[in-house]
Amino acid sequence: MHDSQLSQRDRVLARPASTSMPRLTSGRTLDQRMLAEECPVALVYDGTTLAVLMATPADLSDFAIGFSLTEGIIEDVGEIAELTVAPGRDGIELRVWLRPRAGRRLKERRRRLVGPTGCGLCGIESLREASAAIRPVERRIKLTPEQIGSSIERLAASQILGQSTRATHAAGFFAPGAANLVVREDVGRHNALDKLAGALAAAGIAGHSGAVILTSRISVELVQKTAAIGAGHIIAISAPTALAIRTAETSGITLVGVARGREFEIFSHFDGVA
């Protein structure tokens, strides 16, 4: 797998992750504010578009890999033969060429696909199938309350785009003993987690070695994507939905929400926290 080099035309069309725009404050002062960018991003597999999502134009190779993994299009990063980020005037195409086995699997899935949603349930045609899509996770670590608090603080400190724009979500990966968090940001919370999944896969970091840390509420889709990563813990500053808790319980994931400083609430698999 490799990324193509951007041509001079593509560099001109490439989009920044943020931009400065004029604003008028309530005190009638005209100045500038840094704002997050978003644009259409198309996921194109073997020449056919599967989904078009609005996303922050940053870390897009990670996004393509992570989306492919968490949506079940590939089972591991080695099933991607080639990946090209192709900026255009109307948006950005992420052109993914799959190895034969993954390509055949996707063709079969397309026969059933009603409409891509980027929600973790693409191509599912029944409620029973939706339940079957939940992946079991083996928890291999246990976190202390101090580590949970520290992971939230470190994620906040690592949100470079979020600090400048106040408009993006972040997903981080906390591994006990690791010097740094792996962090990805996006205007979409699902996108941020997909980018994180791709970054971990590209770096060969096993999901079971740490915990997924989120700045958003915990929905069922985020639990499903965490399970696809293989992480046994998911921690967020906001509360989960009831279905997210039931899904985490079924998947074997310790779900921690409403994490503020050293205070938090554990909603599933309590033994995952020391």
Side-chain angles (χ1 to χ4, degrees):
M1 182 187 68
H2 68 274
D3 291 336
S4 67
Q5 297 294 319
L6 293 181
S7 66
Q8 181 60 39
R9 172 182 173 276
D10 286 342
R11 290 192 184 94
V12 171
L13 294 175
R15 300 161 187 248
S18 62
T19 188
S20 181
M21 298 189 72
R23 66 168 181 179
L24 184 66
T25 70
S26 58
R28 311 301 292 178
T29 299
L30 183 63
D31 59 10
Q32 300 281 317
R33 170 178 277 281
M34 190 62 68
L35 300 173
E37 282 284 3
E38 61 179 336
C39 69
V41 176
L43 281 300
V44 183
Y45 292 90
D46 293 341
T48 301
T49 299
L50 180 67
V52 179
L53 307 172
M54 298 302 296
T56 300
D59 301 308
L60 292 178
S61 292
D62 291 338
F63 185 34
I65 296 169
F67 180 91
S68 301
L69 285 166
T70 66
E71 292 291 337
I73 295 166
I74 61 173
E75 295 178 354
D76 62 72
V77 69
E79 290 190 317
I80 295 179
E82 184 176 342
L83 168 58
T84 301
V85 179
R89 297 195 182 281
D90 297 324
I92 300 172
E93 286 190 353
L94 305 183
R95 298 171 183 168
V96 182
W97 296 94
L98 300 171
R99 298 200 185 279
R101 181 183 174 187
R104 288 192 297 271
R105 198 164 57 237
L106 180 58
K107 285 180 181 178
E108 176 59 29
R109 177 174 171 174
R110 281 195 182 117
R111 293 192 185 103
R112 300 178 296 150
L113 191 63
V114 175
T117 63
C119 67
L121 297 175
C122 293
I124 298 300
E125 61 183 7
S126 72
L127 295 178
R128 181 172 296 177
E129 254 192 297
S131 298
I134 300 170
R135 306 184 189 187
V137 171
E138 181 183 356
R139 281 179 292 115
R140 299 190 186 181
I141 64 171
K142 183 173 290 191
L143 298 180
T144 67
E146 291 73 21
Q147 287 173 325
I148 292 173
S150 173
S151 68
I152 291 291
E153 292 170 359
R154 290 171 63 184
L155 180 61
S158 301
Q159 290 175 242
I160 306 304
L161 186 59
Q163 290 171 6
S164 64
T165 66
R166 304 296 179 188
T168 57
H169 288 291
F173 187 77
F174 172 81
N180 299 306
L181 265 67
V182 180
V183 177
R184 292 295 183 267
E185 297 179 84
D186 197 278
V187 291
R189 55 199 175 94
H190 299 83
N191 299 343
L193 185 51
D194 280 336
K195 288 180 178 181
L196 177 66
L200 296 176
I205 300 173
H208 60 68
S209 66
V212 167
I213 319 297
L214 302 173
T215 59
S216 65
R217 67 179 174 86
I218 309 173
S219 63
V220 63
E221 302 96 335
L222 298 184
V223 175
Q224 289 175 319
K225 289 179 182 290
T226 297
I229 291 170
H233 294 73
I234 181 169
I235 302 166
I237 63 172
S238 296
T241 66
L243 181 55
I245 295 171
R246 290 192 288 269
T247 304
E249 190 67 43
T250 301
S251 298
I253 294 174
T254 294
L255 190 155
V256 179
V258 201
R260 309 290 173 87
R262 294 299 192 268
E263 301 294 327
F264 54 83
E265 299 173 20
I266 311 169
F267 293 93
S268 66
H269 293 285
F270 303 157
D271 57 334
V273 177

